[in-house]
Amino acid sequence: RFLPPLLPGLAGAALHPVIHTGWGLQAQHLGTVADGLAYMATAFQPLASGAAHDPPTPLWSHAAPGPVDATLAFLGRALEQDLVGQVDAAVAMARYRALDLGLFQPRIIAFDDPALGLGASLNAAGPLGLPAAGASIIPALEELMALIAAATLASDGEFFVIHGLTSLHAVASLTSVLPAEAQRDALTHWWRVAMATLGAQRLPGLDAAVELLTQWRRDAETDKEHPEALRPAARARWLQTLRGVLHSYDEHIPKAIYALWQWAEWGVFRPSTVELFVRTAQHLGRAHPSGLIH
């Protein structure tokens, strides 16, 4: 009842509100869900989807390029248009310095500023390609999850990219209680936040991310095996990886590995996709060069 009107504001407070809501729902913890919904309301931050901009109408369509193609096109335009330079110039302005919202959030807010051209970079992508409302949403989730796993691996676990991963896990959880149209709204607004985040964080690991996504798409298209549930040996390896990071100084590492494990556990994605999840988790969980838990 309350969630659909909040979906356009997913970008608020560095995605913490939707993380609280979605992870709270997965845990069936009513207090965390209530906290998350309230947080989504008070931190509501749209990204160039309002009347002051020229957003694509509709924001998603089954006839448009899918998330991976749209992402590769966005990244190409980001380089051509020096998107990072535009963000840097925006947050150097006095009115952005006066926001006192840390270093990250003003860079995201700039994408919703009608006086700047950053929102146009999101809207230039046109509608996001997602399955029609009567079709399964799993193919779209697979693309989005491959996208954020590749970005996490390529950026060497950049902090806000990991936030993108754990927030996508939240959004995927929330789709279970949303009607078909709102499910697609949730994925569309998450994708827009992910693209803004990559630009705001100076396109971390750009070349490697493009290479990983391109290779994943080739492999996934030629997969001869069908999705299947994790076998006991594979599940044991996931648990071993997760146990190895439970005492990490950075709580986001076990959360990210847990999310990747859950996606693999669903048993609905192609082997190439699950292999990308495994590679990303193993990279996040690698031993610190000092020999100490990091």
Side-chain angles (χ1 to χ4, degrees), residues 145-202:
M145 288 170 173
L147 183 167
I148 197 63
T152 301
L153 179 56
S155 68
D156 193 23
E158 198 277 340
F159 181 80
F160 286 104
V161 177
I162 287 184
H163 258 249
L165 195 156
T166 57
S167 66
L168 181 57
H169 187 61
V171 169
S173 176
L174 294 173
T175 60
S176 67
V177 297
L178 291 172
E181 296 277 335
Q183 289 177 354
R184 286 144 180 83
D185 290 343
L187 298 185
T188 300
H189 288 294
W190 180 89
W191 180 82
R192 292 168 70 85
V193 179
M195 295 305 100
T197 297
L198 291 175
Q201 293 304 101
R202 301 182 172 88

Side-chain angles (χ1 to χ4, degrees), residues 67-276:
V68 170
D69 284 334
T71 297
L72 292 172
F74 174 86
L75 293 174
R77 284 193 307 274
L79 283 178
E80 291 173 10
Q81 300 169 2
D82 187 23
L83 188 67
V84 172
Q86 291 184 56
V87 177
D88 288 343
V91 297
M93 298 164 65
R95 59 193 174 93
Y96 276 88
R97 293 201 307 272
L99 289 176
D100 193 25
L101 290 173
L103 298 176
F104 174 76
Q105 200 62 27
R107 299 176 73 82
I108 290 292
I109 292 172
F111 281 84
D112 195 52
D113 189 337
L116 304 174
L118 290 165
S121 68
L122 290 175
N123 292 329
L128 182 65
L130 296 174
S136 170
I137 206 166
I138 292 297
L141 279 171
E142 183 170 23
E143 285 201 41
L144 290 168
M145 288 170 173
L147 183 167
I148 197 63
T152 301
L153 179 56
S155 68
D156 193 23
E158 198 277 340
F159 181 80
F160 286 104
V161 177
I162 287 184
H163 258 249
L165 195 156
T166 57
S167 66
L168 181 57
H169 187 61
V171 169
S173 176
L174 294 173
T175 60
S176 67
V177 297
L178 291 172
E181 296 277 335
Q183 289 177 354
R184 286 144 180 83
D185 290 343
L187 298 185
T188 300
H189 288 294
W190 180 89
W191 180 82
R192 292 168 70 85
V193 179
M195 295 305 100
T197 297
L198 291 175
Q201 293 304 101
R202 301 182 172 88
L203 306 175
L206 173 66
D207 292 343
V210 169
E211 184 178 341
L212 282 167
L213 278 176
T214 304
Q215 184 63 52
W216 169 82
R217 187 168 53 184
R218 282 198 297 264
D219 292 343
E221 287 172 353
T222 58
D223 262 338
K224 293 183 173 60
E225 298 179 53
H226 297 291
E228 60 179 20
L230 284 183
R231 296 176 182 175
R235 185 175 295 113
R237 285 194 295 272
W238 277 104
L239 286 167
Q240 183 180 20
T241 302
L242 187 58
R243 286 191 192 104
V245 297
L246 285 179
H247 296 288
S248 172
Y249 294 151
D250 183 355
E251 67 188 63
H252 296 84
I253 299 300
K255 282 169 62 181
I257 292 174
Y258 174 82
L260 289 161
W261 167 36
Q262 292 298 290
W263 300 348
E265 189 77 76
W266 288 357
V268 296
F269 300 133
R270 289 169 284 190
S272 296
T273 308
V274 174
E275 177 58 29
L276 181 56

Side-chain angles (χ1 to χ4, degrees), residues 16-21 24 29-42:
H16 283 103
V18 74
I19 290 171
H20 285 215
T21 310
H29 192 280
L30 183 61
T32 305
V33 174
D35 171 70
L37 287 169
Y39 200 177
M40 288 182 74
T42 57

